Amino acid sequence: MHSMQIKNVNRVPILSEVSMLEELKAFTAVVDRTSLTKAADALALTQSAVSRRVQQLEAMLGATLLDRASRPPTATAVGRRVYQSASALLRDLDRLMSIPRDDGEPTGTLRLGLPQVVADVALFDVAMGLKAAFPALDLRCRTDWSTGLQQQLASGELDAAAVMLPSGSAQPAGTSGNFIATLDVLVVQSRHAPIATKPVTIAELAEQQWILNPLGCGYRAALQRAMEGAGKQVRLGIDMHGTETQLRLVAAGLGLGLAPTRLLARSRFLKDLRPVEVADFALKIDLWLLRAPALGNLCRAMEVLGQVLVRTFEIGQPSQGGHDGRAARPRAAGKTTRAKGKLG
């Protein structure tokens, strides 16, 4: 058999992309192990097969990659550069091949959507939990109302979204996901300047100012429907995002607010707040984690994400980034109006 001439590139058959990958694997194995014998053992090949593949790669690139005069053989200057690029390429290939596998190590980017109130409570725990479990996974998070998040999930803009729905609602048609928790949303007031010290009706709160999320929020819409059902209107005092700032303003006596019990449990203003017992208004919401189809190696990340959300929204369980405590739960009396429509 004639030996292959390295410098005569025109005499070498064009190698397929798959074949070139095998040559690159052989070359990087030799450099990693500084031994043809050890490289052959690692690749389950003969030593001559490894040597032949390295020679084929050199012929294709038109350069000598190994200094065979040294013992053990070492990479030449250009060989070292080829080795660095080849190692990165092979690592990327391994990640590429793992993407479609449900049991693969999560890599790349997880695009997550959260309602602002859920982000206020859970985003710290979500980020810490995912990065601890999968350091190579990047997280991109956006906030929106639940209806907007469902649309972005359906259009492929998101990989996963936590959405809030009226309690007892079925999972949105055409989606896959998991139920996380049912949350009570309380009417809250300042403990130091209380508006109601005994159970009241929703109509009796019509003259009070409210500190609420902007239009589009399900809490606000549910409150408005309840007020209209009693022949009244919501008197809006402050319209703003950010539940924790809203609670601070409520604690200062500037009006009434709405907040989930889990958020109250971790709020630093908990001691300055107290619930208002409303006999004919109760707001409960279900939190769901929805996912896009065919997530491949993001499946394990979704499992961890779901576990973090379940832990975070268990009342009395401290958030890693917040304060713990229990929000007082009002006793419902008489007939109540359950919120309908989309929330969050």
Side-chain angles (χ1 to χ4, degrees), residues 78-342:
V78 69
R80 176 58 58 179
R81 293 166 59 195
V82 170
Y83 167 80
Q84 292 171 346
S85 295
S87 297
L89 186 151
L90 293 172
R91 285 194 300 270
D92 288 342
L93 177 62
D94 288 341
R95 285 193 288 265
L96 175 65
M97 297 301 292
S98 73
I99 287 175
R101 292 171 44 200
D102 290 350
D103 61 347
E105 181 74 10
T107 57
T109 301
L110 174 63
R111 301 167 301 164
L112 174 64
L114 299 173
Q116 184 62 55
V117 67
V118 174
D120 289 343
V121 176
L123 186 53
F124 179 87
D125 293 337
V126 165
M128 291 294 291
L130 287 174
K131 293 302 286 186
F134 311 112
L137 182 67
D138 294 330
L139 178 64
R140 298 290 181 270
C141 187
R142 67 177 63 174
T143 58
D144 201 344
W145 305 123
S146 290
T147 51
L149 294 175
Q150 290 182 62
Q151 292 169 359
Q152 293 167 49
L153 188 67
S155 67
E157 298 175 62
L158 293 174
D159 300 309
V163 300
M164 297 192 298
L165 303 172
S167 184
S169 297
Q171 181 176 325
T175 66
S176 60
N178 300 96
F179 171 78
I180 299 299
T182 295
L183 308 177
D184 289 318
V185 180
L186 304 183
V187 178
V188 291
Q189 62 183 335
S190 170
R191 181 177 296 277
H192 310 295
I195 292 169
T197 57
K198 60 182 181 180
V200 296
T201 65
I202 195 70
E204 292 177 284
L205 299 178
E207 297 305 314
Q208 304 301 324
Q209 293 194 50
W210 290 80
I211 301 169
L212 301 170
N213 287 328
L215 284 173
C217 172
Y219 300 170
R220 177 170 167 173
L223 177 65
Q224 183 64 51
R225 286 192 295 270
M227 282 288 187
E228 290 174 353
K232 303 291 184 178
Q233 291 291 323
V234 174
R235 184 182 176 192
L236 186 63
I238 300 176
D239 174 306
M240 62 174 295
H241 283 291
T243 306
E244 187 70 354
T245 302
Q246 292 175 15
L247 293 178
R248 184 178 185 181
L249 294 171
V250 171
L254 295 188
L256 300 173
L258 294 169
T261 51
R262 183 61 184 94
L263 192 146
L264 286 172
R266 69 182 291 274
S267 174
R268 66 180 184 274
F269 304 109
L270 175 63
K271 67 182 186 301
D272 300 313
L273 298 165
R274 60 181 291 179
V276 178
E277 296 192 27
V278 186
D280 55 350
F281 176 71
L283 179 55
K284 291 180 179 290
I285 60 175
D286 287 346
L287 180 63
W288 286 79
L289 177 60
L290 305 182
R291 49 176 288 173
L295 283 177
N297 71 345
L298 292 179
C299 287
R300 289 172 55 195
M302 288 297 300
E303 292 175 4
V304 171
L305 174 58
Q307 293 165 4
V308 170
L309 288 175
V310 168
R311 287 197 303 269
T312 300
F313 283 94
E314 288 175 349
I315 298 299
Q317 292 297 317
S319 166
Q320 294 180 39
H323 302 271
D324 187 33
R326 288 184 179 269
R329 303 275 301 271
R331 294 186 305 273
K335 183 179 179 181
T336 61
T337 300
R338 295 290 295 272
K340 298 180 180 179
K342 296 184 176 179

